[in-house]
Amino acid sequence: MATTRRLTGFKPTGHLHLGNLLGALRPLIAAQDHTESIAMIADLHAMTMEHDPQRLRALALETATVMLAAGVDPARTPIILQSQIPEHTELHYLLECVTGFGEASRMIQFKEKSAAGGPIRLSLLTYPVLMAADILLYDIDQVPVGEDQNQHLELTRTLATRFNARYGDTFRVPAGVRPEAAARIMDLADPTVKMGKSNAAGAGRIGLLDPPEVVRRTVARAVTDEFAQVRRHPDQPGVTNLIDILAECTGQQPSDPVSYGALKRDVTDAIESLLAPIRARHAELAEDPAYVREILAKGAAAVRPIAMATCSAARDAIGLLQ
Ligand code: ADP
Ligand code: TRP
């Protein structure tokens, strides 16, 4: 049987954090032996909201550098920058021609983000169609996505099936997969929301490049409760999150009973042993940005033939003169 092909996407809208590592990067690295994975930096998606050009460029490079530092092996897992492979935008357009306006405007993320006020970019509306293009270009079998992306993946499947039915079998219809572990690392300052790149202030986020004293301070200030009981419980989201982080980092449940102070010390140590090697490797790689850019160029060269073949088949099927 052919190897399963997976695509994991990261939006360079901020610095990669512990949630990205435990929920996406580590599973990607662990799957390198038994899947054909592609790691994509979705820089075009980072322009669907207000953005700063300098920062976008810097974050795209930083995201690639951190992926390498964390152990993504570019010989087995191409690391690609979405904007460097023009077939993404070409297929995006072809797929727009099988997408309804109503269908796109019903996407929950569009409704939420556009309701927030301020000018709304047209690209925010069409963003899930670009995501569909990202996936369909590479004959992907599995897309590991968090819950917030389920609807977009469902749209991808709908568009693929519709296109195939109207214009002939062109796309492989992908499946979503739940990331096995650590599906949701919560914010340490507000454990009712997931740790995210753009959470306000970032007081509860652990960046993968944060220095040790920042990690220690962030964990020390993590919200707990007055129950003084170290247990996983819905009434204790902060403590539950710390226990989950510890378990994810060490592969073990904490030996109970321990105090909140001891729990936080253990969590700090566990995170630190995970981040120290990434930080060190990142410092080396950051000295040589040309090397990282070359990895991106090689990644693009490795996957481009697949993208070109899919695009050509789609152009032909939809009625463009070849
Ligand atoms: P963010 O939400 O921080 O902007 P992305 O949307 O770029 O992150 O997601 C990149 C990957 O990281 C996705 O696979 C997503 O499911 C995973 N991920 C993001 N935040 C978390 C979290 N708090 N816990 C677990 N996984 C997460
Ligand atoms: N939309 C995804 C997010 O916000 C990022 C993404 C873009 C993606 N293209 C993708 C994820 C393709 C998986 C596959 O997190």
Side-chain angles (χ1 to χ4, degrees):
M1 208 185 87
T3 331
T4 306
R5 203 176 272 172
R6 273 194 193 180
L7 175 71
T8 306
F10 297 84
K11 233 177 352 176
T13 47
H15 306 292
L16 290 178
H17 53 76
L18 190 67
N20 296 134
L21 178 68
L22 297 177
L25 270 177
R26 275 216 319 194
L28 168 71
I29 292 161
Q32 290 186 123
D33 296 334
H34 57 90
T35 62
E36 262 179 41
S37 291
I38 298 175
M40 183 187 69
I41 302 168
D43 55 348
L44 297 174
H45 285 245
M47 305 195 309
T48 55
M49 308 279 283
E50 207 59 42
H51 80 285
D52 173 65
Q54 295 266 29
R55 182 173 143 86
L56 175 59
R57 231 185 323 265
L59 283 173
L61 188 66
E62 182 188 286
T63 304
T65 312
V66 174
M67 282 178 175
L68 289 167
V72 177
D73 171 10
R76 287 183 290 171
T77 306
I79 302 178
I80 63 171
L81 192 57
Q82 186 186 30
S83 63
Q84 291 183 343
I85 299 162
E87 284 74 19
H88 286 257
T89 43
E90 181 173 358
L91 188 59
H92 177 195
Y93 181 75
L94 300 183
L95 291 175
E96 276 186 349
C97 300
V98 291
T99 311
F101 173 73
E103 205 166 33
S105 43
R106 275 195 297 276
M107 294 290 118
I108 295 162
Q109 207 173 62
F110 172 73
K111 287 205 274 194
E112 283 176 0
K113 290 192 175 173
S114 57
I120 298 154
R121 296 183 177 186
L122 189 54
S123 55
L124 184 66
L125 176 68
T126 59
Y127 149 118
V129 187
L130 179 58
M131 178 164 163
D134 300 336
I135 297 166
L136 298 180
L137 265 185
Y138 300 109
D139 297 336
I140 296 297
D141 302 294
Q142 297 184 340
V143 189
V145 282
E147 252 164 65
D148 62 328
Q149 296 299 318
N150 275 348
Q151 206 189 18
H152 297 162
L153 194 69
E154 225 18 76
L155 180 72
T156 303
R157 292 160 52 80
T158 303
L159 298 183
T161 310
R162 185 181 299 155
F163 191 104
N164 288 346
R166 279 191 197 160
Y167 303 117
D169 209 13
T170 308
F171 299 120
R172 180 172 302 179
V173 181
V177 286
R178 280 272 136 273
E180 299 80 14
R184 259 166 107 79
I185 299 297
M186 309 309 277
D187 189 277
L188 295 183
D190 178 1
T192 62
V193 301
K194 89 176 179 100
M195 190 180 287
K197 290 194 202 84
S198 42
N199 295 5
R205 178 175 53 234
I206 301 214
L208 298 184
L209 301 178
D210 282 354
E213 61 278 12
V214 174
V215 172
R216 194 181 43 71
R217 204 178 328 124
T218 309
V219 177
R221 289 182 185 163
V223 167
T224 52
D225 51 58
E226 59 297 319
F227 293 103
Q229 271 195 60
V230 177
R231 54 168 188 175
R232 300 188 76 263
H233 193 278
D235 292 342
Q236 298 180 248
V239 171
T240 300
N241 190 35
L242 289 173
I243 295 174
D244 286 348
I245 291 175
L246 184 56
E248 275 306 317
C249 290
T250 62
Q252 294 163 4
Q253 294 299 321
S255 42
D256 53 348
V258 286
S259 67
Y260 286 177
L263 175 65
K264 286 183 169 179
R265 271 194 301 280
D266 289 351
V267 169
T268 306
D269 292 347
I271 295 176
E272 186 50 28
S273 28
L274 217 56
L275 298 195
I278 297 177
R279 211 185 278 129
R281 181 84 183 109
H282 177 270
E284 285 170 23
L285 288 163
E287 295 279 304
D288 192 0
Y291 167 76
V292 180
R293 293 173 79 121
E294 195 184 306
I295 293 292
L296 292 173
K298 283 188 177 154
V303 302
R304 185 112 194 254
I306 313 172
M308 288 173 74
T310 312
C311 234
S312 164
R315 290 169 63 104
D316 191 34
I318 208 167
L320 299 174
L321 191 61
Q322 299 271 63

